[in-house]
Amino acid sequence: MQTDNNDGASDGAGRRTVANPHFFRARDDEGSVIYLLNEGYCNVRCQHCYINRVKARPLRRNPEQAEADIESLRAQGYQVQLRGTELIIHDDFIALFKAAGQEYVQTNGVHIVKRPEVLSRLSGVGIRHVVISYPFDPDGMVGVDPSVSDEAIALCAERFGVTVSALITRSVADNLESLATFCEHARRLGARAVKFIRLMPVSPDL
């Protein structure tokens, strides 16, 4: 998949894009566009996250302008995916999932545990699947307590399909026996799938 910053130029298929610095095109068979609603606002601080390394002020989209962008992109034939740190902590962003036709959301689960009523809102805008980042690695890269993640998985599994997303670090790779135990733990909590992510080794600690 190739990506490029949106500059309002033709995408090669003769379609024009709205000039907006807050999303990029991901050129694939589906013509996807990743739209960044949130850049830098999050309720946890994970060690591997870019937020900790970016000195620029956090950017939060105007919901009305974001909705107009989404409508324009979809009218041009793009599939829009909403991304950008922890989206569900902003109530005015939740309605935009329906505008984008997006049926999944990715979250660290903290807000869901603090405010379980947000699940009703997510269901109401068409969310069918939740991807939850899990602090599986023993190095504590993900800034969430495992008990919070467990509760979030169990809550979401009552309404949605759940995928658990976990990092593979050097410590995990050195203890592969733990993977089967973790997968079984996630299954008992109600997860339908477990996805492992290998970080680029930019640090000897990873």
Side-chain angles (χ1 to χ4, degrees), residues 17-85:
T17 59
V18 275
N20 188 308
H22 307 312
F23 65 84
F24 63 90
R25 294 192 298 269
R27 294 198 296 267
D28 58 15
D29 292 339
E30 297 181 346
S32 297
V33 169
I34 310 301
Y35 190 101
L36 300 177
L37 281 169
N38 229 11
E39 294 180 37
Y41 286 98
C42 193
N43 52 355
V44 299
R45 286 292 180 266
C46 300
Q47 293 182 36
H48 62 288
C49 185
Y50 71 91
I51 293 175
N52 302 324
R53 296 167 175 80
V54 175
K55 294 182 172 57
R57 289 180 57 190
L59 299 174
R60 180 170 178 264
R61 307 294 161 248
N62 175 283
E64 290 76 19
Q65 182 59 53
E67 185 172 10
D69 287 345
I70 292 165
E71 290 176 354
S72 176
L73 287 163
R74 295 192 75 189
Q76 295 173 63
Y78 288 102
Q79 174 184 311
V80 179
Q81 298 182 36
L82 304 182
R83 304 281 183 86
T85 60

Side-chain angles (χ1 to χ4, degrees), residues 1 23 29 44-45 47 54 57 77 81-82 94 105-109 128 134 136 140 157 163 173 178-179 189 195 202:
M1 177 183 294
F23 65 84
D29 292 339
V44 299
R45 286 292 180 266
Q47 293 182 36
V54 175
R57 289 180 57 190
Q81 298 182 36
L82 304 182
I94 292 178
V105 64
Q106 185 158 358
T107 175
N108 56 46
R128 301 176 62 185
Y134 196 95
F136 169 59
T163 293
S178 63
L179 292 178
L189 291 170
K195 176 176 68 174
V202 294

Side-chain angles (χ1 to χ4, degrees), residues 21 24 35 38 43 98 101 115 118-119 121 133 135 137 155 162 175 177 181:
F24 63 90
Y35 190 101
N38 229 11
N43 52 355
K98 185 173 183 177
R115 291 185 54 195
V118 74
L119 296 179
R121 291 206 61 202
S133 300
D137 66 288
L155 286 169
V162 176
N175 185 24
E177 294 81 5
T181 301

Side-chain angles (χ1 to χ4, degrees), residues 158-177:
E158 296 175 359
R159 295 171 176 257
F160 311 102
V162 176
T163 293
V164 173
S165 176
L167 297 176
I168 291 290
T169 61
R170 179 170 295 178
S171 297
V172 174
D174 290 341
N175 185 24
L176 294 179
E177 294 81 5

